[in-house]
Amino acid sequence: MPLIIFDFDGTLVDSRALILECHRTVFTEFGLPVPAAQDSLALIGRSLELVLAELAGPDAPLLDMVATYGRVLPRLRADPAFAERPFEGIGALLLGLSRRSRTQLGIATGHTSKAVVPALTTLGWRDWFSTIQAADMAPSKPHPAMLLQAMAAAGVTAGEAVFIGDTSFDMQMAKAAGVRCVGVTWGYHTAEQLKEAGASEVVPTVGELQALLESSL
C-alpha cells in the first residue's frame, strides 16, 4: 500500500497572507522590525522557532515570540482575509487519492500538530490522512525524522513512499530519508531551487501532479 506524503503550506494551501500577518503582528508586539515578505516566505517549511531565530536574531525573546505566534495564529486563521486557501484542484486531488483503497496519505509539516490538525479539520481533510507528522513531533526539516516516522506509522518502506513539497527543505528531507521527492512550483521556492535540492521531478500544475501520481500508483 503506497504512501503519499504532502507538505502543507505552499503545497496544499496558499498561506502567504496568514504567515505574513502573523509575522507582522508578532514582531510589532515585541517592538522588532517586521521582516521583509521575501525573507519570511523563503523560510517557510522550517520549524517556527528556527524561522523566528533567523528573522529576529538569536538574542530575541524567541520562546515568548513562539507562544505569541501560537495565540495569534488561530485568531487570524478565523478571519477570511487571512485563512489558508487550498490551491485550485488540490481538494479534488486529495479526495480522489483518499478513495483509493490501496493508497495512504500523510502530512509532514513545519507547523505544530496543534496548528495543522485544526486547519485540516476546517478544510474537511482530516480523515483523509492516516499519518500527520509535525514540528512538535520531530526535528525541523530538512532532518528526515518526520518522513521516517510517517513510513513507520504506515508500515511502508522508502521505496513505497513519495513526498511532495514546495521548498528546498522538503526536497532535502526526502533525500535524507531515501524517499522519492516531487517538487511543486506554485509554492515558495523556484523550480531551480527544488532541482538543486534533489527533486526527482518538478511539476508546475496540480493537473500535472495528479497525472504523475496516477501513473505511479
Side-chain angles (χ1 to χ4, degrees):
M1 183 178 294
L3 173 64
I4 304 172
I5 311 165
F6 291 90
D7 169 56
F8 187 68
D9 293 302
T11 300
L12 299 182
V13 298
D14 184 351
S15 51
R16 285 174 173 83
L18 178 62
I19 290 169
L20 292 177
E21 185 62 14
C22 279
H23 285 183
R24 189 197 66 78
T25 303
V26 171
F27 277 73
T28 300
E29 184 166 324
F30 284 89
L32 297 169
V34 177
Q38 62 267 28
D39 294 335
S40 291
L41 296 177
L43 295 171
I44 290 175
R46 305 204 73 193
S47 297
L48 178 60
E49 64 273 15
L50 297 180
V51 171
L52 294 179
E54 179 77 17
L55 295 173
D59 295 329
L62 297 176
L63 292 179
D64 291 337
M65 292 178 75
V66 168
T68 300
Y69 197 102
R71 171 175 54 81
V72 167
L73 177 65
R75 174 172 59 82
L76 291 176
R77 179 179 270 158
D79 185 337
F82 301 114
E84 298 106 331
R85 292 179 173 84
F87 289 106
E88 185 175 356
I90 284 292
L93 170 64
L94 293 176
L95 176 60
L97 292 172
S98 73
R99 289 175 170 172
R100 290 178 174 265
S101 61
R102 295 190 56 78
T103 300
Q104 299 182 79
L105 301 182
I107 289 280
T109 176
H111 272 305
T112 64
S113 53
K114 289 182 179 179
V116 72
V117 171
L120 292 172
T121 301
T122 297
L123 291 164
W125 298 350
R126 173 62 186 89
D127 292 341
W128 296 347
F129 295 94
S130 61
T131 176
I132 296 173
Q133 303 297 325
D136 53 328
M137 304 164 68
S140 176
K141 298 174 184 180
H143 193 284
M146 278 195 277
L147 295 187
L148 297 176
Q149 290 170 183
M151 290 185 288
V156 303
T157 65
E160 299 168 311
V162 59
F163 179 67
I164 299 155
D166 68 294
T167 71
S168 57
F169 310 124
D170 292 326
M171 304 300 102
Q172 291 163 358
M173 176 177 67
K175 279 192 67 179
V179 172
R180 177 186 176 192
C181 46
V182 177
V184 301
T185 61
W186 54 81
Y188 300 115
H189 287 184
T190 65
E192 290 72 22
Q193 288 175 300
L194 297 172
K195 292 173 183 176
E196 288 176 3
S200 306
E201 296 95 1
V202 175
V203 294
T205 68
V206 174
E208 289 182 50
L209 175 61
Q210 181 173 354
L212 177 65
L213 291 175
E214 289 180 349
S215 70
S216 303
L217 296 175

